[in-house]
Structures are given as C-alpha cells and as structure tokens.
Amino acid sequence: MRLQLTARMRVAHIAPLYERVPPMLYGGTERVVSYLVEEQVRRGHQVTLFASGDSRTAADIVAAVPRALRLDAGHTDPLAPHVVELSQVFEHADEFDLIHSHVDYLAFPFSRLVGTPTVHTLHGRLDLPHLRPLMHHFADVPLVSISNAQRRPLQHLQLNWTATVHHGLPLGSYDLGPGDGHYIAFLGRIAPEKGPGLAIAAAKAAGMRLKIAAKVDPVDRPYFESEIQPLLDDPLIDYVGEIGDADKPRFLGEATALIFPIDWPEPFGLVVIEALACGTPVIARPCGSVPELITPGRTGFLADTLDEIVEALRGVDRLDRAQCRREAERRFSVERMVDDYDAVYESLATGAPLT
Amino acid sequence: MRLQLTARMRVAHIAPLYERVPPMLYGGTERVVSYLVEEQVRRGHQVTLFASGDSRTAADIVAAVPRALRLDAGHTDPLAPHVVELSQVFEHADEFDLIHSHVDYLAFPFSRLVGTPTVHTLHGRLDLPHLRPLMHHFADVPLVSISNAQRRPLQHLQLNWTATVHHGLPLGSYDLGPGDGHYIAFLGRIAPEKGPGLAIAAAKAAGMRLKIAAKVDPVDRPYFESEIQPLLDDPLIDYVGEIGDADKPRFLGEATALIFPIDWPEPFGLVVIEALACGTPVIARPCGSVPELITPGRTGFLADTLDEIVEALRGVDRLDRAQCRREAERRFSVERMVDDYDAVYESLATGAPLT
C-alpha cells in the first residue's frame, strides 16, 4: 500500500546552492540530498531537484544559479540566490504533492503560505541561541531531525518533529575492506572541534600509526600551523592532505579503525557510517549523534578521555569487521533512508500519524 | 477622491529590525519608515508596523524581536528574526489592503504568494553584481526607488518600477538656521566613501573652519587612525565626534554650508535634505542621488575635484538660505513623501497606472 501511494508522488527537493548535488568536494548536505533523490527517482517518484545548475541527477532540475556558489568566487551574497530558489519552488507549489526542504529555516515561512505539504530536514546544529525564538514561532512546521541528539537543544519547545531519519549511503559504492593497512584513520577537516590533536596524542600513546586525510580551511590555517603541524614530525604520524571521494573507501577500508575524537555536538557524522560500510570500526568521543551511530563493543567504542581512547585503540582489533559492514547494511543504507522518508511523506500527504 | 480612498487603507509596513523605529542612533531606513508611518496614521490610515519591539509609534506594532538587533550584542544571525517577521506579515496578508516592505529583496518571493498588493521600497545600493539575476527573476514585483540614480545599475533590466519617491522630513523639527557659526559642517560617518579627507583638504585650502560631527564604526577605525587623525591637528579643523539627532539641526543650522564629498553612488543623502531644511546650502560631489537633491547655484554647488570644491566653498555665502529652506518645504517634506506613496498605493490597489 505504501509503495503504491508514494510511487506516484511528485516531490520537490530544495538543496542548498553552496555545492552542486552531489558535491565535487566536501558538502555533507548536498551529498545526502543526492543519495535520496537518485533512489527516489529509481523507485518511480517524479522528483524535481532545485539545486545549482552543475548538479548531476536523474531528476528534473531547476537551477537558481548555473554553478555552485562555493566554486564561484565572485558570489558575495549567498542569500540572494537562495531567495530566488525559494521563489522558484513555492510559486509552483501546486505542481507538487510534497516539498522537501534541505535549506533550514529559510524555507519555514513558505510552508505556511502554500497548500502543498512541506517537510524540512534540518541538517545543521540547533544549539545556537538565536534559533530558539525562530523555532518557537514555527512550532507547527513539519521537521525531520537527522539524529535524536540534534533535537536536544530544543527539547523544551513543542515542535512538530515528524521523525528522525538517519542518513544512509549507497552501499554498493563501499566494500568490506581488509583492514590490513596497520594504521588508524582520521578523515575530514583539521579544526579544533574535530579533535586532530587528541587523535595524534592517542596514536602516539598507543604506539599505533595514524594517517590523517583532511583538508585545512583558510579559517583553520593558523590553528593547523600552530597546534597541529608541530605534532606531525613523528614516524607514527602520516599527514596525507585532502583526499577525494574516490579514494575514501580504500583509505577507510584498509584502516584498523576510524578515530573520531570530536568536541562538538555533530548532528550526524557521515564519515562514521562510511567507515562502518567499509567494515571499519569507529572509536569516537560520545558527542552529538555519535552514540546513535555506534554500538559499543560491536561496531566501535565510545571513549571520552585520552586514556579511554588509548584503551579503545588497543582493543579495536577484537571487533568483527563483517559485523560492522552488516550493521551498515541494516541501519545505514540509502534504501532504509528512503523508506523512512516515504513514511514521512505518506503521513504528511494523508494526515495520518507515523506508526 | 484619492484621499478618501487611501484614508481607508489598512497598510502593513515591514521595517528592518537592526534599529528601532525611529532609530536611537544612526539608521536612515528606520528613520524614514518612522516619518512615513506617523504621517500615514495622522491621515487616518490603519497602519500596522512590523518592527523591533522597542519602536515608538502611533501605529499598531507587531514585533519579531523585543529589542533592535544592533543593540543586542548576543544576536549573531540577523536573518532569523527577519524570517520570523516576514512570516508574521504574510500569514496575515489578507488583513491588509497593502503591504509595504522596507527590507529589500528578502520579501520579494512572498509578494507573489499572497493576494494583497505589495510594494517594496529599495533603500540600499543596487550596483552589486549578485543582485542582477535576482532582480531579473523578480521583474514583476512592484518597486519604489528612493532616487532615479539608484536605478541606474539595473537600467537595462525590465523591472516593475512604480515610482521614485524621494525621502521627506518632518520639517517642523527643523528651523531656518542663522548660518552664523563661521564653519563648514561635515556630518555622518568617517569612512573612505564619505570623503572626510577631501573635506579637510578643501577646508584648509579655502582657509575655512571645518567641524566634523561623525561616528567611526569599528570597521573604519584603522582608516580613521591612519588617514584622518593625522589631519586633525590644525586650528581650522574641529573633530567633535558623534552627535545625536537632537543636536543636528543646530549643528547644521549654524554652518555656512554642508560639505558632502562622497565617493560612492549614495542612493539618497538624507543629510543633504536635512541641511536644506535648516537653510544650509550643500557642496557635494555629483555622485549617486546628489544631483537630484541639489539645485546648483540655488541650494548648493556640485563640485567634483579639490579645486572645484574650494571654489564652491569660497562662493557659498552668496546663496540664499531662505531659498534652501523653501526648496526643502516644496520638495522634501514628509507630506510630499506620503502624497507620493498614497499615489503608489492607489495605483497598486486599483490597478490603474500612476499618472
């Protein structure tokens, strides 16, 4: 019943314009939108993707800008093209059965002005004080969180959370890796909140090799040079710079473990489930969404302090890599994500509560 | 006929939330909105002002934030409260005969989603490249420019300009001043585009006293310290710091002339018409709206180079101060401004073209 109903749906997705869909480089939101859209098209939804014109998709595309903003150095005001994008979507609201926004609160007021059901997946952190009065004002707007932890800062407001939908990956793009590279992997960005210094200290204390594949944003360059670069001159530490999406599965799959020593309430750690998809267990600080993604003692360890992380590193080869991969297949596939969204859409389109 | 129709109108004004209406300090847009709203209330319009909660008005007020954002250091994201404000306005669109926005392009997409006619007075500069695709997209949205010069960067786009409405002042708050202070006045901000260095050079070359009443924003502090402060150590130059609204009429009214040597396309120089309201002629570089505000040889001089400005300073006492005041009364009163907007509203409400 559900599949028949939702298969006929005309869905509009509103993607951020910062990166193309999928992104050339870093850009978690645009990547997840891409996975979602392509799987929905495959299932027979009639999908229109509002995104930058250089996006690659099997859906129909409507582009407020020809190229992703982050690649267009001349763009000084990212708000203007998003305002155009929202206009493009909501003027044609009656051509869609459902509108699914990924541009955070900017789309909220339009929700109330059109008859088409809309749902907003919030991709960012919600612990910023200026968001509280805004969220209170839009208490009726249907929301999806990407982790339960993401909602925590707003838990005392009565909001219209329809579901938490964890991200999913196209698991065919990741294989169960051998884990025989004899290194711990650090993947992402060099920034204080990502904990690269703690990762280095833990690897040294455990006497294990650490490979750091990470970009350094201009804003984090001083931090990198003063805090991290002095720690790299050690035979155990290998800084390999930024790597592309194509190199990630191998980088993760050959690692003994992924280390994810974050120091902020990350709403969803995409790299955590990428590691699991490669069979690689994860050692992570229990911040934000992390405890929802890792099953301690099975797919990794939660470890808070340096000592705990060192202990976890020493015990990580006891974990079963095939089990990590199976958990990714069970919990973090794009098919599961799209099933979850189908249920959200159906509930919104029919007015029935989610079961 | 016009007055009878418009007297019955229910008008919503959308003010920026950066300053209260009227502003405590600097804030041209919020000040003009205040003049407009109070005169419309006086004429019997039923006006609702969407603005910060500390605003002072005879209109009904709906506040997205209790205090103006610029006074609220904790506010890191000015976009969020404006999104709430737009939601507050446009959800209740059917309770108004006309919606008048002063928050620039952010309100454009809502224009197309509601049945109530809306008009957008653009208060900012329009010569920024990212605005062109946006304005093209919103070519049908009814716009008001605050000077003809303001439109120039977009003159090759077919936009829906309904009128240029020059700002007006409550002239009862300004008297024809004596002009006997034996100084030239510079009033506003210390910033490169305002030309304080040129003003100082011209005063020195003309052998005339210059009084500078201006604030220094944090962003302009290095410019002030390196470029301007070294020029102040001269008996002809008197830097008096920032002055409040209450002190402005006297500061302007005792001056021989206002010097306005701007180096940017200012969409409307409010201080120019304030000077005229005090009977004080204006010597200005012919940038942006300036040539529309000054009648050369009658209410001031247009002067481009240092030599031309010096020549103008030497000739300025030939101009008739009473004539400057009369021109302000004829062209820059709040009553004239409200008449102009009444005509715009009537045209939008009835669909008839402006005559």
Side-chain angles (χ1 to χ4, degrees):
Chain A
M1 183 63 191
R2 171 184 297 171
L3 283 175
Q4 284 188 328
L5 173 70
T6 52
R8 285 195 303 272
M9 288 188 93
R10 298 166 301 169
V11 179
H13 280 280
I14 316 175
L17 301 171
Y18 296 105
E19 303 282 356
R20 70 171 214 198
V21 176
M24 300 258 288
L25 306 166
Y26 205 77
T29 302
E30 291 87 343
R31 192 142 67 92
V32 170
V33 170
S34 174
Y35 298 154
L36 180 56
V37 163
E38 300 315 306
E39 175 65 12
Q40 287 181 339
V41 170
R42 207 189 59 74
R43 292 188 184 190
H45 284 296
Q46 188 180 321
V47 182
T48 305
L49 173 62
F50 293 81
S52 69
D54 49 355
S55 296
R56 312 284 169 89
T57 178
D60 294 333
I61 187 163
V62 177
V65 288
R67 281 157 42 89
L69 300 182
R70 208 166 286 171
L71 302 175
D72 195 347
H75 237 292
T76 50
D77 177 8
L79 183 59
H82 284 97
V83 167
V84 171
E85 181 182 41
L86 289 165
S87 163
Q88 290 174 327
V89 175
F90 286 96
E91 277 161 37
H92 298 280
D94 57 0
E95 299 168 20
F96 303 109
D97 299 310
L98 193 128
I99 296 171
H100 188 164
S101 171
H102 305 272
V103 297
D104 290 328
Y105 68 71
L106 200 57
F108 288 176
F110 298 93
S111 254
R112 291 180 171 174
L113 296 176
V114 298
T116 306
T118 63
V119 62
H120 305 258
T121 294
L122 300 181
H123 288 265
R125 60 195 295 181
L126 302 178
D127 58 333
L128 307 168
H130 71 268
L131 280 178
R132 294 181 59 86
L134 176 122
M135 297 303 291
H136 178 72
H137 178 80
F138 290 108
D140 60 307
V141 169
L143 306 175
V144 169
S145 46
I146 60 174
S147 64
N148 294 327
Q150 186 193 26
R151 300 185 190 184
R152 204 175 302 155
L154 302 174
Q155 63 187 326
H156 298 297
L157 297 179
Q158 292 288 328
L159 303 179
N160 186 9
W161 296 110
T162 60
T164 285
V165 179
H166 286 147
H167 293 333
L169 299 172
L171 291 170
S173 304
Y174 301 84
D175 292 317
L176 174 61
D180 58 359
H182 302 289
Y183 63 86
I184 305 299
F186 179 100
L187 178 58
R189 274 187 305 126
I190 300 288
E193 69 271 20
K194 294 289 190 177
L198 186 54
I200 292 168
K204 288 179 182 176
M208 297 171 83
R209 270 180 72 214
L210 178 71
K211 274 199 193 182
I212 301 173
K215 70 165 181 170
V216 183
D217 283 336
V219 66
D220 293 314
R221 174 68 46 189
Y223 167 74
F224 175 69
E225 287 172 2
S226 68
E227 304 289 322
I228 301 304
Q229 215 160 24
L231 309 176
L232 300 180
D233 187 19
D234 187 298
L236 287 175
I237 311 301
D238 187 8
Y239 174 67
V240 302
E242 186 172 5
I243 63 173
D245 266 2
D247 296 321
K248 275 196 213 169
R250 185 167 158 184
F251 177 74
L252 289 169
E254 295 183 352
T256 308
L258 174 76
I259 187 164
F260 195 64
I262 56 169
D263 191 24
W264 75 292
E266 181 132 13
F268 195 96
L270 209 45
V271 67
V272 170
I273 65 170
E274 289 185 283
L276 298 183
C278 300
T280 304
V282 180
I283 293 164
R285 294 193 67 242
C287 294
S289 57
V290 164
E292 297 173 49
L293 309 183
I294 296 171
T295 308
R298 196 163 69 174
T299 60
F301 294 113
L302 301 178
D304 202 4
T305 63
L306 175 62
D307 286 350
E308 286 173 17
I309 295 172
V310 171
E311 187 188 353
L313 285 170
R314 288 181 176 144
V316 77
D317 59 1
R318 290 199 314 270
L319 300 179
D320 178 4
R321 299 183 62 89
Q323 177 113 288
C324 293
R325 168 75 191 185
R326 280 197 303 277
E327 184 135 319
E329 287 169 357
R330 189 173 63 81
R331 296 187 57 207
F332 301 119
S333 71
V334 71
E335 292 81 4
R336 192 273 312 146
M337 173 169 71
V338 173
D339 286 346
D340 286 356
Y341 276 119
D342 273 351
V344 170
Y345 293 3
E346 195 174 318
S347 158
L348 286 170
T350 64
L354 273 176
T355 50
Chain B
M1 183 64 192
R2 169 184 299 170
L3 283 177
Q4 284 188 327
L5 174 68
T6 52
R8 287 195 300 272
M9 288 187 93
R10 298 166 301 168
V11 180
H13 280 280
I14 316 174
L17 302 171
Y18 296 105
E19 303 283 356
R20 70 171 213 198
V21 176
M24 300 257 288
L25 304 166
Y26 205 78
T29 301
E30 291 87 345
R31 193 142 67 91
V32 170
V33 170
S34 174
Y35 297 155
L36 180 56
V37 163
E38 300 315 307
E39 175 64 13
Q40 288 181 340
V41 171
R42 207 189 58 75
R43 290 186 184 192
H45 285 295
Q46 189 180 321
V47 182
T48 305
L49 174 62
F50 293 81
S52 69
D54 49 355
S55 296
R56 313 284 170 88
T57 178
D60 294 333
I61 188 162
V62 177
V65 287
R67 280 158 42 88
L69 300 182
R70 208 166 287 169
L71 303 176
D72 194 348
H75 238 293
T76 50
D77 178 7
L79 183 58
H82 285 97
V83 167
V84 171
E85 181 182 40
L86 289 165
S87 164
Q88 290 174 326
V89 176
F90 285 97
E91 276 163 36
H92 298 279
D94 58 359
E95 298 168 21
F96 304 110
D97 300 309
L98 193 127
I99 297 171
H100 189 164
S101 170
H102 304 272
V103 296
D104 291 331
Y105 68 71
L106 201 57
F108 288 176
F110 298 93
S111 252
R112 291 180 171 174
L113 297 176
V114 298
T116 306
T118 63
V119 62
H120 305 259
T121 294
L122 300 180
H123 289 265
R125 60 195 296 181
L126 302 178
D127 59 332
L128 308 168
H130 71 266
L131 280 177
R132 295 180 61 84
L134 176 121
M135 298 302 291
H136 179 72
H137 178 79
F138 290 108
D140 61 307
V141 169
L143 306 174
V144 169
S145 46
I146 60 174
S147 64
N148 294 325
Q150 186 192 27
R151 300 186 190 184
R152 205 175 301 155
L154 302 173
Q155 62 188 326
H156 298 297
L157 297 179
Q158 292 287 327
L159 303 178
N160 187 9
W161 295 111
T162 60
T164 285
V165 179
H166 286 147
H167 293 333
L169 299 171
L171 291 169
S173 304
Y174 302 84
D175 292 317
L176 174 60
D180 57 358
H182 302 290
Y183 63 86
I184 305 299
F186 179 101
L187 179 58
R189 275 188 303 126
I190 299 288
E193 69 271 18
K194 295 288 191 179
L198 185 54
I200 292 168
K204 290 179 181 175
M208 297 171 83
R209 270 180 71 213
L210 178 71
K211 274 200 192 180
I212 301 173
K215 69 165 181 171
V216 183
D217 284 336
V219 65
D220 293 314
R221 173 72 40 193
Y223 167 75
F224 174 70
E225 287 173 1
S226 69
E227 304 288 322
I228 301 304
Q229 216 160 22
L231 309 177
L232 300 180
D233 187 17
D234 187 298
L236 287 175
I237 311 299
D238 188 8
Y239 174 66
V240 302
E242 187 172 6
I243 63 172
D245 267 1
D247 296 321
K248 276 196 212 170
R250 186 168 156 183
F251 177 74
L252 289 169
E254 295 183 352
T256 309
L258 174 76
I259 188 164
F260 195 64
I262 56 169
D263 192 22
W264 74 292
E266 182 133 15
F268 195 95
L270 209 46
V271 67
V272 170
I273 66 170
E274 289 185 283
L276 298 182
C278 300
T280 303
V282 180
I283 293 164
R285 295 192 68 241
C287 294
S289 59
V290 164
E292 296 172 48
L293 308 183
I294 296 171
T295 308
R298 197 164 67 175
T299 59
F301 295 113
L302 301 178
D304 203 5
T305 63
L306 175 61
D307 285 351
E308 287 173 15
I309 295 171
V310 172
E311 189 188 350
L313 285 170
R314 288 182 175 144
V316 77
D317 59 1
R318 290 199 314 269
L319 300 179
D320 178 4
R321 298 183 63 90
Q323 176 110 288
C324 294
R325 169 75 192 183
R326 280 196 302 276
E327 185 135 319
E329 288 169 356
R330 190 174 62 81
R331 297 187 57 207
F332 301 119
S333 70
V334 71
E335 292 81 6
R336 192 272 313 145
M337 174 171 69
V338 174
D339 286 346
D340 286 356
Y341 277 117
D342 273 351
V344 169
Y345 293 2
E346 196 175 317
S347 157
L348 286 169
T350 63
L354 273 175
T355 49

